[in-house]
Amino acid sequence: MKKRAFPLVPALLLGAGSLFLSSAHAATLDIAIDSSPAGLDPHLITAFNSVVIVQSTVYEGLTRIDKDLSVVPGLATRWSVSEDGKRYEFKLPEGVTFHDGSALDAEDVAASIRRVQSEAIASPLASRVTPITSMDVLDATTIALNLDEPFAAILSSLSGIAIVPAELETDKQALQQTPVGTGPFQFDNWQPNSHISLTKFDGYREAGLPKIDEVKVHFVPESATRQVGIGSGEYDLLPAIDPATALQLQANPTVTLQTTRDVAYTLLGMNTSRPPLDQAPVRRAINHLLNRQDIINGALFGAGVPAGPLSPALATWALDTQEYECYQTDADKARALLEQAGIDTPIKLSLLVLPRQDARDIAQVIQQQLAAGGFEIELLNKEIGEFVQDWRNSDFDLFVSANGGSPDPDEYFYRTFRSGGSTNVFQYSDADIDTWLDEGRKRVEPAQRKAAYDKVQSKLACEGPVAHLAYSDMTTAVGSKVSGFEILSTGRLASLVRASVVD
């Protein structure tokens, strides 16, 4: 492993950069989100408030996802693939540095992938890189990844694997509080219950970028306060706002609403290790009790469409939800399924709720809808840290949350529904699903992959451990001082690198 020297910075100087910038009339973009992030390690985070702060701003991958969901170069300038599809060789640019001043090289890439694969790190991204069996560092700017078999989604998957310094490969603590990447913005300071500050990385590899000197992410729990703040100019950006907030901001002439079809979705998750959710007929019954359009109308103000396992934004892959028989709301059929399965009612279960207004509203509607089938649902509202911990530990009966989507079905399906998948918190295992997912991963012909994923969707929709609820219209509120920002359906703030703020 290479050696690098880290500068010693007195603790009193942490965050001092923002003081010097302010004296020079720095261009600061102020963002408001509803709560503090649950850590900043790019290989461990799952919560939106963590991802939105550091992914594509502080951190970069070998590849990245463009606005049209296509794969384009990220840190890697180019790559080549062997004829058998089992070896990918990536070329890195020269002169790229991390925010600590150390040089990026191929060993950092290898260490980052090993870190995600490590059982000790326990990354929720691990399933994205399981086909990589070995890596060859050919020189400082060239690395080859060797696969056990062809992996059609590898280039898309690598976009989500942030490259971090090799020295942090086995460290589970440092990056949670002090992220170090190669992106256009570097971590400056974290003020608990107040804000996180990211400052312009002067050593960024693209000349003249970023244009903003500082991105300050404020933690503002009250939606009304965020709305007033963006209207008054106190805040410049409210990312991925809930439908109620979007509706209220429509009439504000100082605010522009950018909207796109979200690849993320809301869901009702079920722990299949806990009876009676371990039985497929019970999960099918739950689907029959749900009325997705009523959920959209009542909790999302009509801003969305009923969700199948894949977003309609993935037009190549997604099946029409009208194909799913269980999406027909039918309380009589649901009760008959429960009776046939030998399940006595009432069925008492708890429902863990993501601390977000739309999730709370959805949970209340679901509570009422499931009651028609004899379910008595207790709502559990916890802060984001507790929610994430319970989710990771599979410590729930049911949960309502929102999940980020991906441009390739493998990135979502494999880690979530494959037996032993890195985010299979549902404890779900199905031999058919495993077989089809393995086939979809190793096939490179689009028609063969689609055939496999069609079967996956058809089975998961009604009997899987997730009742997909809605794909909403993702909306970001942009203040009048901001130019050059563009909303992305992935929810990331990658376009901030080219955005400007004018006082």
Side-chain angles (χ1 to χ4, degrees), residues 111-131:
S112 297
I113 293 174
R114 288 195 301 266
R115 188 173 191 267
V116 172
Q117 292 177 325
S118 166
E119 291 186 8
I121 294 296
S123 171
L125 303 174
S127 292
R128 292 190 176 196
V129 291
T130 49

Side-chain angles (χ1 to χ4, degrees), residues 226-279:
R226 297 194 298 273
Q227 292 176 44
V228 171
I230 196 166
S232 67
E234 181 180 2
Y235 307 127
D236 301 305
L237 203 71
L238 305 183
I241 57 178
D242 62 85
T245 300
L247 191 65
Q248 293 172 19
L249 287 174
Q250 280 182 352
N252 193 319
T254 67
V255 178
T256 299
L257 298 181
Q258 294 190 17
T259 301
T260 187
R261 172 65 71 211
D262 203 343
V263 297
Y265 58 94
T266 51
L267 72 148
L268 174 66
M270 311 174 217
N271 189 339
T272 65
S273 70
R274 296 188 178 183
L277 299 172
D278 56 336
Q279 298 189 47

Side-chain angles (χ1 to χ4, degrees), residues 26-273:
T28 298
L29 184 140
D30 291 283
I31 298 174
I33 58 177
D34 59 5
S35 63
S36 181
L40 299 174
D41 188 322
H43 300 154
L44 295 176
I45 56 177
T46 56
F48 169 79
N49 283 356
S50 297
V51 173
V52 76
I53 292 172
V54 297
Q55 294 286 34
S56 302
T57 51
V58 174
Y59 291 110
E60 300 173 293
L62 286 176
T63 62
R64 64 181 178 86
I65 303 301
D66 207 357
K67 62 182 179 181
D68 63 357
L69 299 182
S70 61
V71 179
V72 297
L75 280 172
T77 57
R78 62 183 187 275
W79 52 82
S80 59
V81 188
S82 64
E83 288 188 8
D84 64 1
K86 296 183 180 181
R87 183 177 172 89
Y88 284 72
E89 193 170 299
F90 293 88
K91 192 69 176 177
L92 302 173
E94 296 182 357
V96 175
T97 61
F98 286 101
H99 300 150
D100 59 24
S102 58
L104 167 78
D105 67 23
E107 178 55 38
D108 296 302
V109 175
S112 297
I113 293 174
R114 288 195 301 266
R115 188 173 191 267
V116 172
Q117 292 177 325
S118 166
E119 291 186 8
I121 294 296
S123 171
L125 303 174
S127 292
R128 292 190 176 196
V129 291
T130 49
I132 301 174
T133 55
S134 66
M135 292 172 283
D136 299 320
V137 175
L138 304 179
D139 57 46
T141 60
T142 313
I143 185 170
L145 309 182
N146 302 304
L147 315 180
D148 56 356
E149 58 187 6
F151 178 27
I154 185 172
L155 294 177
S156 180
S157 292
L158 288 172
S159 69
I161 308 300
I163 307 304
V164 304
E167 284 74 10
L168 299 173
E169 179 178 346
T170 61
D171 193 325
K172 289 190 68 172
Q173 303 300 323
L175 293 176
Q176 284 285 51
Q177 296 295 322
T178 309
V180 181
T182 60
F185 298 97
Q186 63 184 24
F187 177 79
D188 185 50
N189 67 80
W190 184 345
Q191 299 296 325
N193 302 316
S194 176
H195 69 271
I196 282 178
S197 175
L198 309 176
T199 56
K200 174 180 180 179
F201 178 38
D202 290 328
Y204 190 57
R205 66 182 184 280
E206 293 192 47
L209 298 177
K211 301 175 182 179
I212 298 169
D213 294 304
E214 180 184 24
V215 175
K216 185 176 287 187
V217 184
H218 303 263
F219 316 137
V220 186
E222 296 298 327
S223 175
T225 304
R226 297 194 298 273
Q227 292 176 44
V228 171
I230 196 166
S232 67
E234 181 180 2
Y235 307 127
D236 301 305
L237 203 71
L238 305 183
I241 57 178
D242 62 85
T245 300
L247 191 65
Q248 293 172 19
L249 287 174
Q250 280 182 352
N252 193 319
T254 67
V255 178
T256 299
L257 298 181
Q258 294 190 17
T259 301
T260 187
R261 172 65 71 211
D262 203 343
V263 297
Y265 58 94
T266 51
L267 72 148
L268 174 66
M270 311 174 217
N271 189 339
T272 65
S273 70

